[in-house]
């Protein structure tokens, strides 16, 4: 029902809030359908505050603008090099995970000790490798493409851009991700079956456990 949706003004004020994560051992962020620059700025701030961050599915992150525009921009970026000895840098990464890492590196004052320490708390990956496929993943609303870009705006998926500039592992990643999804679907179906059996057992024993449940509820369980 459209009546329960927030107004554009309320949505804008909500998105413009400063999003901070409660310091935890590690936050695993699912980068799928996030805008690169917006997510990078939020993650950089958290890294400097001491938060460990892992970003998975970097290949499915987005950049505003068409693929043609972003390929031209990347070609201009690759021309930036050291005249006398290009082997000394700057280095132009082709994998999506390293593109994301390099973007965040530019936001943490990496030439200071504090910035270098912050970078040690960051990990970026294409796909969802183990053990992060078994861990809880979160999203960052302030960086989601559907909340930040107009529906008719062009955007480029980072994996497609990387593949067009020389990244060689798109097919390999697709095979690994298909295998992971199959295993996840199998695990979820077994989990639903187990939950259904548990509910059935609880209903069968409801009469026998009535007195026990009364004692537990009185004790706050």
């Amino acid at each position: 029902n459209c009546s329960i949706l927030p107004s554009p003004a309320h949505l804008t004020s909500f998105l413009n809030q400063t999003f901070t994560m409660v310091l935890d051992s590690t936050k695993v962020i699912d980068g799928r359908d996030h805008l690169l620059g917006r997510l990078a700025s939020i993650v950089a701030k958290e890294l400097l505050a001491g938060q460990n961050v892992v970003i998975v599915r970097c290949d499915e992150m987005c950049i505003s603008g068409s693929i043609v525009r972003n390929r031209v921009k990347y070609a201009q970026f690759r021309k930036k090099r050291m005249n006398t000895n290009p082997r000394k840098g700057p280095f132009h990464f082709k994998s999506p995970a390293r593109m994301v890492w390099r973007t965040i590196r530019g936001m943490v004052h990496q030439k200071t000790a504090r910035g270098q320490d912050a970078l040690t708390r960051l990990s970026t990956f294409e796909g969802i490798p183990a053990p992060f496929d078994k861990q809880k993943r979160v999203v960052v609303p302030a960086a989601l493409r559907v909340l930040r870009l107009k529906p008719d705006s062009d955007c480029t998926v980072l994996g497609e851009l990387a593949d067009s500039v020389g990244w060689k592992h798109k097919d390999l990643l697709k095979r690994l991700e298909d295998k992971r999804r199959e295993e996840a679907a199998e695990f979820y179906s077994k989990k639903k079956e187990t939950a259904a059996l548990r509910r059935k057992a609880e209903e069968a024993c409801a009469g026998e456990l009535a007195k026990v449940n009364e004692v537990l509820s009185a004790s706050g369980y």
Side-chain angles (χ1 to χ4, degrees):
N1 190 352
C2 294
S3 62
I4 63 172
L5 294 176
S7 65
H10 289 160
L11 184 60
T12 302
S13 63
F14 168 73
L15 292 175
N16 288 335
Q17 294 174 9
T18 302
F19 283 84
T20 56
M21 306 174 191
V22 178
L23 285 184
D24 198 354
S25 56
T26 302
K27 288 286 185 184
V28 182
I29 299 176
D30 188 349
R32 179 178 178 272
D33 216 30
H34 284 68
L35 290 175
L36 173 61
R38 291 187 179 275
L39 181 62
S41 63
I42 293 169
V43 169
K45 199 167 186 177
E46 295 301 322
L47 293 171
L48 291 170
Q51 176 70 57
N52 291 309
V53 178
V54 174
I55 306 177
V56 295
R57 291 212 276 190
C58 291
D59 53 292
E60 296 188 38
M61 292 176 65
C62 298
I63 309 174
S64 60
S66 67
I67 183 69
V68 175
R69 169 188 168 85
N70 283 300
R71 285 187 65 180
V72 170
K73 289 179 68 175
Y74 196 82
Q76 293 171 344
F77 168 63
R78 290 188 67 180
K79 289 183 180 179
K80 293 179 170 60
R81 62 175 195 159
M82 182 177 180
N83 283 336
T84 54
N85 190 354
R87 287 178 298 176
K88 291 188 175 181
F91 303 108
H92 312 99
F93 300 117
K94 295 179 181 177
S95 73
R98 295 301 279 175
M99 288 181 182
V100 174
W101 180 86
R102 195 181 197 279
T103 303
I104 296 172
R105 186 188 70 174
M107 300 183 182
V108 296
H109 306 287
Q110 56 103 8
K111 292 190 177 181
T112 65
R114 178 172 177 246
Q116 286 295 320
D117 187 47
L119 277 179
T120 62
R121 293 189 283 271
L122 172 67
S123 299
T124 56
F125 299 97
E126 294 96 8
I128 309 179
F132 306 113
D133 56 340
K134 301 290 194 299
Q135 296 181 11
K136 179 183 178 182
R137 299 183 291 275
V138 298
V139 299
V140 181
L144 284 173
R145 178 187 60 83
V146 292
L147 297 178
R148 282 302 189 177
L149 280 189
K150 294 180 180 178
D152 57 344
S153 296
D154 289 330
C155 70
T156 303
V157 178
L158 201 56
E160 295 179 3
L161 175 63
D163 182 62
S164 69
V165 298
W167 181 51
K168 301 296 184 183
H169 303 295
K170 183 179 180 180
D171 294 334
L172 171 62
L173 181 64
K174 184 179 184 302
R175 291 198 303 271
L176 292 174
E177 281 293 281
D178 289 342
K179 181 180 177 182
R180 179 188 65 80
R181 290 189 185 98
E182 289 175 5
E183 293 175 351
E186 183 180 353
F187 168 80
Y188 184 60
S189 64
K190 290 181 179 178
K191 182 179 178 181
K192 287 197 295 184
E193 291 174 5
T194 305
L197 289 173
R198 181 184 178 89
R199 286 196 303 271
K200 191 174 180 180
E202 288 176 350
E203 291 172 2
C205 299
E208 300 176 11
L209 297 176
K211 293 182 179 180
V212 177
N213 289 332
E214 289 178 5
V215 174
L216 289 175
S217 61
S219 302
Y221 293 99

